[in-house]
Amino acid sequence: MSVRFKDRHDAGRRLALRLRRYAAEPNLVVLALPRGGVPVGGKVAAALGAPLDVFVVRKIGVPGREELAMGAVASDGVPVMHEAVVREFGISREVFDRGVAREMAEIERREQAYLAERTFPPIEGATVILVDDGVATGSTMEAAVRALRHLGPAAVIAAAPVMSREAHDRLDRLADGCECLDLPEPFYGVGVYYLDFAQVSAGEVRAELRRCAQGCNGHEPQLAGGLP
């Protein structure tokens, strides 16, 4: 096992090369899952000449082991349950529903923080690339794909630098495309494949969105001659 990426910016540049065929899409939108997906998505959006925004999805953690996802939920309020984890830890429906309610409150708070004074890009008829910094169980990305379907996109592409094989196969069936650079087996967790996997702050998310609003939207793709 070895480190695959220097940091999220490096991963985003490399993922953009994998996604370059989508630069020709007439109505392309890049949506990043905050917080870790935003630096990756920023490089992808800049390279493809597409607008960048965030799509808030929250992992529902196992009580006492919050880093382990028992599911996920997006702003449409429809949760995705990771059934294997729920069975393994004997999670009751009541406990799961409390987790959903808690994370819905956090989604509302984050949407107000990230989307304040900005308009969410039109999704109907668009080709949407959903970006995260990595995908372990796939439940968070799955919740995002399912929620986006309600907005009427032409296509939804799930994309991340690294994924588990299980998550990739799951998303490949659900989305209109699933793109990644590496499918390590066994899969040890997203952070293992980065040299620098420092937590991304809310301020960094807002700064990346401002940079893309000023420099990405409406520009020609930047793939020729090297990535930004």
Side-chain angles (χ1 to χ4, degrees):
M1 184 186 67
S2 61
V3 172
R4 269 63 169 185
F5 310 106
K6 178 182 176 183
D7 56 21
R8 290 180 178 89
H9 296 291
D10 171 50
R13 293 185 188 99
R14 292 164 64 180
L15 183 61
L17 287 172
R18 178 65 175 261
L19 297 168
R20 57 190 167 187
R21 69 181 179 276
Y22 295 104
E25 293 292 331
N27 189 6
L28 181 66
V29 175
V30 175
L31 294 180
L33 304 188
R35 299 176 183 172
V38 175
V40 181
K43 294 302 182 186
V44 170
L48 302 185
L52 172 73
D53 219 311
V54 295
F55 195 68
V56 183
V57 183
R58 291 288 296 171
K59 175 178 70 177
I60 305 166
V62 172
R65 294 190 60 180
E66 279 69 21
E67 77 287 352
L68 179 63
M70 59 179 174
V73 64
S75 55
D76 66 344
V78 179
V80 170
M81 181 183 290
H82 197 284
E83 294 180 1
V85 174
V86 168
R87 285 196 302 270
E88 180 180 353
F89 288 88
I91 304 297
S92 69
R93 186 72 207 196
E94 181 182 3
V95 168
F96 185 81
D97 288 345
R98 281 204 302 268
V100 172
R102 181 179 62 252
E103 297 307 333
M104 282 300 299
E106 182 63 14
I107 285 172
E108 184 176 353
R109 187 188 72 79
R110 291 197 178 200
E111 285 182 337
Q112 290 173 353
Y114 296 146
L115 301 176
E117 302 178 1
R118 293 172 44 249
T119 303
F120 191 68
I123 299 302
E124 187 172 1
T127 296
V128 179
I129 300 179
L130 267 174
V131 178
D132 206 352
D133 55 9
V135 181
T137 67
S139 56
T140 302
M141 186 72 83
E142 180 180 345
V145 172
R146 292 185 184 280
L148 275 174
R149 292 291 193 203
H150 300 160
L151 302 180
V156 178
I157 311 300
V162 62
M163 295 184 181
S164 69
R165 171 64 67 179
E166 175 192 5
H168 177 275
D169 292 350
R170 209 169 146 193
L171 291 167
D172 198 40
R173 293 189 296 268
L174 179 67
D176 299 291
C178 185
E179 303 283 356
C180 72
L181 301 175
D182 205 357
L183 293 168
E185 292 188 273
F187 189 88
Y188 291 103
V190 174
V192 169
Y193 304 104
Y194 285 81
L195 185 62
D196 178 0
F197 198 64
Q199 185 175 10
V200 177
S201 70
E204 288 174 296
V205 170
R206 289 190 288 267
E208 187 70 45
L209 292 172
R210 283 195 298 270
R211 275 194 296 271
C212 256
Q214 294 164 3
C216 301
N217 301 356
H219 285 220
E220 291 299 314
Q222 300 178 25
L223 289 163
L227 291 172

